[in-house]
Amino acid sequence: MNERAPRDKRKVFLLKIDLPALLAIILFAGMIFLYLIPAFEKVMMERKRNLIHEMTASVYSLLEYYHTLERNGDLEKPEAQEQARAAINTIRYGHDLKDYFWITDKVPVMITHPYRPDLNGQDLTGFYDSKGKAIFVEFVKAVANDGESYVEYMWQWNDDSTRIVPKLSYVRLFEPWEWVVGTGIYVEDVRMEIRRMEIRTLAFSGVFGLVIIGLLLAISSQSHKIEQKRSRAEEELRKSRELYRTLAEAASEGVIIWSGQGLRANKTLLSWIELGEDEILNRPLTDILSSQSISDPDDPGKLYEELSARQFVECMLKTKTGRQIACHADLSRITLGDHNAVLIVIRPAKNLAISSGINLPISLLENAGTGFFRTTYGKKPRFIHATAPVLNWLGYSSIQELQLQHFESVFAEPHQYERIRHLLETGKALYNENVILRRQDGNRLRALLTIMVADPGADEIWCDGSVELLTASLSATGIPTAGYEALGSPYMNEVPVSAIMKPPVTCSENTTISRAVSLMKENNTRVMVVLNSTGEPMGVADVASIGFGMAEGASATSEIFRFMHAPPSFIREDAKISVAIDRIRNSSGCLLVMTSANSLTGVITNEELVHACSMTPELIMNDIANTSSVNSIKKIWQKSRTASLSMLAGHADPYSVSLHISSVADAICRRVIDLCIEAAGEPPCRFSFIQTGSAGRREQSFLTDQDNAIIFENLSGDKMQAAEDYFLALGKKVNEMLDQIGFRLCKGNNMAGNPKWCQPLDKWKSYFSDWIRIPGPTEILDVSIFFDFRPCYGDDSLCNELREYVKTSLRTSDIFFYHMSMALKQYNPSRTLLSDETTDIKRILMALTGVIRLYALKHSLAGLSTVDRILELHEGKHISHELLRDALRAWQNLAYIRLSHQASCISSGREPDNRVDFKVRYADMQLLASGAIEDINNLMLKAGNDFHTVTI
């Protein structure tokens, strides 16, 4: 029996170790030969297809060039065609520079073929490959419908006419001359590469298999040695209890060993609590030590399992007389023989006063933003201290209020906190991490977080960190904009709940859960009002109540009334929002809004109330929509500007202020267009009134002029003339009315009332085509504002079609980006500007918006505002964390200086301008401007490197 035991163990070892390893080798080989190699072949073929597509596009551009010379009268058609043919006939590409292009017409007659000159000028209708395909006829058929296509056939290998192999070609029709231009790849190339790859893979797999076999043999030979070592280790562990006790007695800190056998403490701790060893043995831990960070103070086994890493907590040590001593405790896991135990090392908080303030290390300051904080170090850290910006952003009125919160609670995304906690546990610092933080009111904001473990040599350990707000994120959908709270509250006190309620979604009490969830999804709501048999509300069901019901075993066919909150809470539609806020606290989180006739008209949830303070702009826009005269609109605009000034005075984010100004300006523009159309009659066709420049980017300031244009659909004949007359008159009238309201006329006349900027869609495409394909380095900046266009009124599809046309055109025009980057150099700011009598702050901003626009166009970003574009560039990994921080900080500081200066002009009775005197009035802001200039110069330098080459 004893002799069979080793053999059985070896069999088990083979089953557990050798067999899985062999299966892994088989799976590895199968994955390579059955999945990776076929996938690689597919990818390689696709890359070849893309290559010949792009190469043909280059030759197509060359044909367009010679056609342009013909069209402009510089060359006669035969001469232009001959020069184009000669140029294309010499083009070679590929690894051996043997790949080429050929040209036929639509007969087909061969125009040129570099390797088969015998075919030039011949009718190829009867030319067949080795498999009987009339290949040149197929080329003509392939381009007949879409103007381009791929064709497979048999052809000679490059210039070797004796070798016929499969070939895949891409052909494209050049319509002006009815030429079919094409080039191809040899399928044999791909197959040869795959064969070489298979040979290398077989060799690698063989070596890998030998290595694995060797490892298995080594593991097997060591297994009995491991068993011997395990036996010796068990003996050593039996002695560890005495060793820990000896070390604990010699320590100057207090030591507690807590296990299922009770509490043990060293003499140091016993002297602090004035108890003997026998007196604490069977006491619960809570009689000696209390801490909110210890989740289960009654079960040492559970705490042992939770201590995956050392945990540092703040605690209170209780003495025999009831006196409490503030301490720091270091909790870790130990093993005493066959028992698991928790080792608690305790130190009195002698240096707690140090933690009441922050003395940040230089390395942190160099990577910090504007808000600083300190937390305890451990499994569930708490805040010790925070500066005013941190308190403000997180929505807490005092540090005492914040100290009640766990550090984890301020993270909206749990996985972000877990990553940070893991890094800190390993002793690593985190710099400029892009995180989503949660405010006390539930709203979210995006920030850059820097945090590190700071151990200055004192008894306790803590974490120091900094927070820099990424202001642009606050403008995201559903997130109230910073600074609206103080502005919105007075408005909200007088606003009825009917202004913010949502329409109710209802169902009968017998509706199934599955049907109710479908209705909620269709109507984009999280709340369902349940009606009784007489049609009266009897309760409210929400996503949470339904989810809990399903979790407890309810089926999808269960009736909805079983999971509703009842009875519902009601509120009258004319009740103020402040009343709703008080009433919803005592409800299930939902109020049903009733009319004076006691009929259901709406629903109010916490979501609506949370965002109520951000609704002031919407109320202003409602006033705009309901007015009918220029004077009335002007008064509303002045009122909204006062609101914007209040936001700035309340330290609102500058992006929020600009967004508010731009939103109101859009609403005014739309209302003015409505009034003009009412006077002029219905438009003759579809059109889109677009905003450009700062208005297009939604970055308007208190000094705002008009940058707009009109796009209307393509027409012909008398209809085109009628449309031109109507929209030009409309544009001029809109510009005049906006000027009367307070939006000054553009000095450059870049407005819809200018015939040049009131054009059909095809003309706009022509404009952009000329700017992109043949950019003039001097005037390119003058038209760059049009690349920031967005729809404001009318048919958005026209604007969207133009946007897609621009994106497509830019993909193959490196020359545009080169000239744009070169033109931006004239705006490269210098710190010497700050020493002038006055500094044009707008000019410095133009450099930043220009370079960010350049990158946004290059990468086809959807965002239009500078801050949104910066965020998209970072999300697309086009810029680093550092550039994200620097660019946003530069824009924020410059925008803040600009708006503050203009607000000062308005308050002193002067017209706002962009000329800032940093030497006197704004000396304290000179440092911000200087830092912004440095950040912009770094961006300009990067742009110079990224766009320094031209590909035609």
Side-chain angles (χ1 to χ4, degrees), residues 713-761:
E713 67 175 307
N714 300 316
L715 300 170
S716 59
D718 294 341
K719 291 184 178 180
M720 173 63 80
Q721 186 61 51
E724 289 176 347
D725 294 342
Y726 177 90
F727 289 118
L728 183 59
L730 177 67
K732 289 180 178 179
K733 187 61 178 177
V734 170
N735 293 151
E736 291 171 2
M737 291 181 66
L738 289 175
D739 183 46
Q740 294 172 23
I741 292 168
F743 298 91
R744 299 185 309 173
L745 297 174
C746 175
K747 293 181 180 179
N749 202 20
N750 294 324
M751 297 181 295
N754 182 344
K756 184 176 182 180
W757 310 125
C758 180
Q759 294 290 340
L761 178 60

Side-chain angles (χ1 to χ4, degrees), residues 556-567:
T557 58
S558 299
E559 296 168 315
I560 190 66
F561 78 88
R562 301 180 185 277
F563 309 101
M564 68 183 183
H565 300 288

Side-chain angles (χ1 to χ4, degrees), residues 492-505:
M492 291 300 107
N493 288 336
E494 301 302 322
V495 172
V497 295
S498 59
I500 65 168
M501 68 182 183
K502 286 186 176 180
V505 179

Side-chain angles (χ1 to χ4, degrees), residues 419-722:
R419 177 175 181 273
I420 293 169
R421 185 175 68 86
H422 175 72
L423 287 174
L424 294 178
E425 286 177 353
T426 57
K428 297 180 181 178
L430 189 73
Y431 295 102
N432 298 319
E433 183 76 3
N434 194 338
V435 298
I436 305 295
L437 301 180
R438 181 189 292 111
R439 286 172 50 89
Q440 186 184 27
D441 58 13
N443 290 326
R444 297 181 171 196
L445 52 87
R446 184 177 296 174
L448 290 179
L449 179 72
T450 298
I451 189 169
M452 61 175 61
V453 178
D455 185 359
D459 290 336
E460 64 272 9
I461 301 176
W462 58 73
C463 297
D464 282 331
S466 69
V467 178
E468 183 172 357
L469 198 64
L470 296 183
T471 58
S473 64
L474 297 176
S475 65
T477 303
I479 302 179
T481 317
Y484 277 157
E485 292 89 343
L487 175 67
S489 295
Y491 283 82
M492 291 300 107
N493 288 336
E494 301 302 322
V495 172
V497 295
S498 59
I500 65 168
M501 68 182 183
K502 286 186 176 180
V505 179
T506 63
C507 69
S508 67
E509 59 184 307
N510 297 321
T511 302
T512 63
I513 288 180
S514 60
R515 178 54 183 160
V517 171
S518 297
L519 289 172
M520 294 166 74
K521 184 176 181 181
E522 292 171 7
N523 292 276
N524 192 27
T525 183
R526 299 172 63 86
V527 176
M528 176 71 70
V529 181
V530 182
L531 306 179
N532 60 21
S533 57
T534 62
E536 297 177 348
M538 62 181 295
V540 175
D542 56 26
V543 173
S545 64
I546 294 174
F548 284 129
M550 296 292 288
E552 292 174 356
S555 69
T557 58
S558 299
E559 296 168 315
I560 190 66
F561 78 88
R562 301 180 185 277
F563 309 101
M564 68 183 183
H565 300 288
S569 299
F570 299 95
I571 190 170
R572 292 288 294 272
E573 62 180 344
D574 56 354
K576 301 297 186 289
I577 288 179
S578 57
V579 176
I581 292 174
D582 290 334
R583 190 168 298 179
I584 203 168
R585 291 171 181 163
N586 300 318
S587 73
S588 60
C590 178
L591 299 176
L592 303 185
V593 184
M594 309 297 289
T595 66
S596 56
N598 288 327
S599 61
L600 180 65
T601 185
V603 172
I604 296 289
T605 66
N606 283 315
E607 183 179 359
E608 283 74 52
L609 293 177
V610 164
H611 297 303
C613 290
S614 67
M615 284 195 59
T616 298
E618 296 183 19
L619 300 177
I620 293 175
M621 292 173 195
N622 287 337
D623 290 342
I624 293 171
N626 294 324
T627 192
S628 58
S629 67
V630 170
N631 288 335
S632 299
I633 298 177
K634 184 173 184 179
K635 290 179 181 179
I636 297 173
W637 177 73
Q638 292 171 340
K639 175 183 175 183
S640 73
R641 188 162 79 163
T642 301
S644 302
L645 291 169
S646 300
M647 291 172 63
L648 194 64
H651 304 288
D653 176 67
Y655 184 80
S656 305
V657 180
S658 295
L659 187 62
H660 175 67
I661 295 171
S662 301
S663 298
V664 173
D666 280 354
I668 290 174
C669 184
R670 286 191 290 268
R671 184 55 183 156
V672 166
I673 296 174
D674 279 334
L675 295 175
C676 291
I677 291 177
E678 289 175 9
E682 287 299 314
C685 63
R686 295 183 299 121
F687 79 100
S688 179
F689 191 95
I690 62 173
Q691 301 277 29
T692 63
S694 62
R697 296 191 305 275
R698 298 172 71 89
E699 293 175 356
Q700 291 173 279
S701 66
F702 296 115
L703 174 62
T704 182
D705 59 2
Q706 299 184 49
D707 290 311
N708 47 53
I710 290 178
I711 307 171
F712 56 90
E713 67 175 307
N714 300 316
L715 300 170
S716 59
D718 294 341
K719 291 184 178 180
M720 173 63 80
Q721 186 61 51

